[in-house]
Amino acid sequence: MEDVKQIVTDIKQKNLKPIYILMGEEAYYIDKISDFIEVNVLSEEEKGFNQMVMYGRDVTVEDVVGQAKRFPMMAEHQVVIVKEAQDLSRSIDKLSAYAKNPQPSTILVLCYKYKKIDKRKALYKEAKRTGVVFESKKLYENKIPDWIRRVLSPKNYTIEPKAAIMLAEFLGTDLGKINNELEKLQIVLPVGTQITAQHIEENIGISKDYNNFELQKAIGVKDKIKAFKIVHYFADNPKDNPMVVTVSILFNYFSQLLKLHGLLDKNPRNVASKLGINPYFVSDYITASKHYPMRQVSQVIGTIREFDLKSKGVNANAVPQGDLLKEMLVRIMG
């Protein structure tokens, strides 16, 4: 995110580069930088003759170079944006000659999504020397709630930890999808609102009571009644609550409990840092560690691995995932 801010700041200050390669698995920041260049570098009067948006599937590298070598008309720069440039992956290295000596008055932007240009090749090395190469990496799941808070903060919104986790759990690590849902919430909620689990349920349709976060919490305190209610709900709504997600979340949860047992310093701040969790949830983990001694945590992790395989059809052909979930819960909670 700091790299993105620096690129945007440089563009605002007219510190422009002749070539920008925006690549990587996470499309969100690639689109954000590209859109910022498209909107802000040229004035509206200049864009008509000096801004070109191309798509990788419709052009060749030679087309891109030909456009990039043009001179601007009645403007200091022209902007050439190649979206979906990954569709040129078989011939993209041909751009290395242009990247070595780019047209100073052209700003060429390559949006190379879901892939990376080989860092050993001439194109990467030349673009790095003469322009900007930005790699947009996927965020780990446990980083998503903090990202949500950072996105909302400049817009004068806050979000309670449970609500952030619900969004991360339901929407995964696709930042574009998460941002779209956050924008919907900002339309219906006044500025200054703290977004709650209730807001998430009412506006996005994620249940605040029947989700993996609440299941994890119920298992942690060995609340069997609540845990089985949630699992029954999952069994009745398998499309919205795939077992693979539940298994992954529980595996991570018990892996963190195992790590917690191994900590000598169980000060809440140290626990939050070592486990990579929000300090708000430290007390829940400490409580769970008292219900699940280290030996039992190790056994539970083995059980979860076993049911992960069963959910994929290993030694459990044609068994409904809802039944597997219920059986796994019995094994975990005893």
Side-chain angles (χ1 to χ4, degrees):
M1 202 163 181
E2 292 304 315
D3 290 344
V4 176
K5 288 179 179 177
Q6 187 59 57
I7 291 170
V8 169
T9 298
D10 286 344
I11 294 169
K12 286 179 178 177
Q13 295 174 351
K14 302 299 181 184
N15 180 18
L16 301 166
K17 301 296 183 180
I19 185 166
Y20 291 82
I21 294 182
L22 313 175
M23 65 181 189
E25 296 178 356
E26 179 49 68
Y28 176 80
Y29 285 119
I30 293 174
D31 288 336
K32 280 291 181 183
I33 296 171
S34 171
D35 290 348
F36 186 83
I37 291 172
E38 186 173 350
V39 171
N40 292 283
V41 170
L42 299 180
S43 68
E44 290 302 319
E45 295 77 17
E46 293 171 332
K47 287 177 184 176
F49 291 108
N50 298 292
Q51 187 153 285
M52 171 69 71
V53 177
M54 313 171 86
Y55 288 85
R57 64 178 177 273
D58 299 326
V59 297
T60 64
V61 169
E62 289 75 17
D63 295 331
V64 174
V65 171
Q67 183 65 38
K69 285 185 174 181
R70 286 179 61 248
F71 289 97
M73 293 181 63
M74 297 177 289
E76 189 176 350
H77 293 99
Q78 72 153 339
V79 174
V80 179
I81 299 173
V82 185
K83 297 190 175 183
E84 312 299 338
Q86 69 274 9
D87 289 334
L88 291 168
S89 59
R90 292 184 178 179
S91 57
I92 196 74
D93 289 334
K94 293 180 183 178
L95 269 171
S96 58
Y98 176 81
K100 184 175 183 179
N101 186 29
Q103 180 77 3
S105 58
T106 293
I107 298 163
L108 175 61
V109 183
L110 300 177
C111 302
Y112 200 83
K113 295 179 180 178
Y114 317 117
K115 295 182 178 182
K116 293 186 289 185
I117 288 171
D118 193 332
K119 296 179 181 180
R120 299 167 297 180
K121 296 292 183 70
L123 174 58
Y124 178 89
K125 293 175 181 177
E126 295 297 345
K128 190 82 172 172
R129 181 180 62 83
T130 60
V132 170
V133 179
F134 167 73
E135 183 178 348
S136 187
K137 297 179 180 179
K138 277 281 187 188
L139 284 187
Y140 292 115
E141 288 181 13
N142 65 340
K143 300 294 183 184
I144 298 297
D146 283 336
W147 181 86
I148 291 171
R149 282 189 283 274
R150 289 200 304 270
V151 168
L152 289 172
S153 181
K155 300 171 183 178
N156 201 21
Y157 287 87
T158 56
I159 186 167
E160 66 178 19
K162 178 181 174 180
I165 287 176
M166 284 171 62
L167 282 173
E169 174 195 312
F170 190 75
L171 300 171
T173 59
D174 186 328
L175 301 186
K177 187 186 294 184
I178 295 170
N179 189 64
N180 287 341
E181 297 300 333
L182 292 177
E183 288 180 347
K184 292 177 188 175
L185 288 169
Q186 291 165 54
I187 291 171
V188 298
L189 300 175
V191 173
T193 298
Q194 181 180 50
I195 298 169
T196 66
Q198 186 71 34
H199 293 137
I200 300 295
E201 182 173 61
E202 291 173 354
N203 296 285
I204 299 179
I206 308 170
S207 173
K208 66 181 176 61
D209 297 315
Y210 297 95
N211 56 66
N212 284 306
F213 172 76
E214 290 296 331
L215 176 61
Q216 173 183 297
K217 195 172 179 180
I219 291 172
V221 296
K222 292 203 169 180
D223 185 341
K224 294 183 181 180
I225 293 175
K226 183 177 180 181
F228 275 99
K229 278 184 179 178
I230 294 170
V231 165
H232 277 294
Y233 178 85
F234 285 3
D236 291 338
N237 299 274
K239 288 185 179 179
D240 292 333
N241 304 278
M243 184 173 176
V244 64
V245 174
T246 300
V247 167
S248 174
I249 287 171
L250 291 180
F251 179 82
N252 290 335
Y253 177 61
F254 279 97
S255 296
Q256 287 175 316
L257 285 184
L258 190 63
K259 190 182 295 185
L260 173 57
H261 277 298
L263 293 179
L264 297 177
D265 180 4
K266 291 186 171 60
N267 177 282
R269 183 175 294 181
N270 185 58
V271 171
S273 173
K274 296 297 185 182
L275 269 60
I277 61 174
N278 189 302
Y280 180 88
F281 299 112
V282 168
S283 61
D284 291 343
Y285 278 79
I286 290 176
T287 298
S289 70
K290 294 174 182 176
H291 287 287
Y292 295 88
M294 181 179 281
R295 180 177 293 180
Q296 188 177 358
V297 170
S298 298
Q299 291 170 348
V300 168
I301 289 173
T303 296
I304 293 171
R305 283 179 171 150
E306 176 188 335
F307 279 86
D308 178 45
L309 291 173
K310 285 185 175 182
S311 71
K312 295 166 182 171
V314 179
N315 299 323
N317 289 331
V319 178
Q321 295 211 340
D323 292 345
L324 289 175
L325 269 177
K326 293 170 189 175
E327 185 183 348
M328 182 177 72
L329 197 58
V330 170
R331 294 268 299 275
I332 289 174
M333 301 185 73

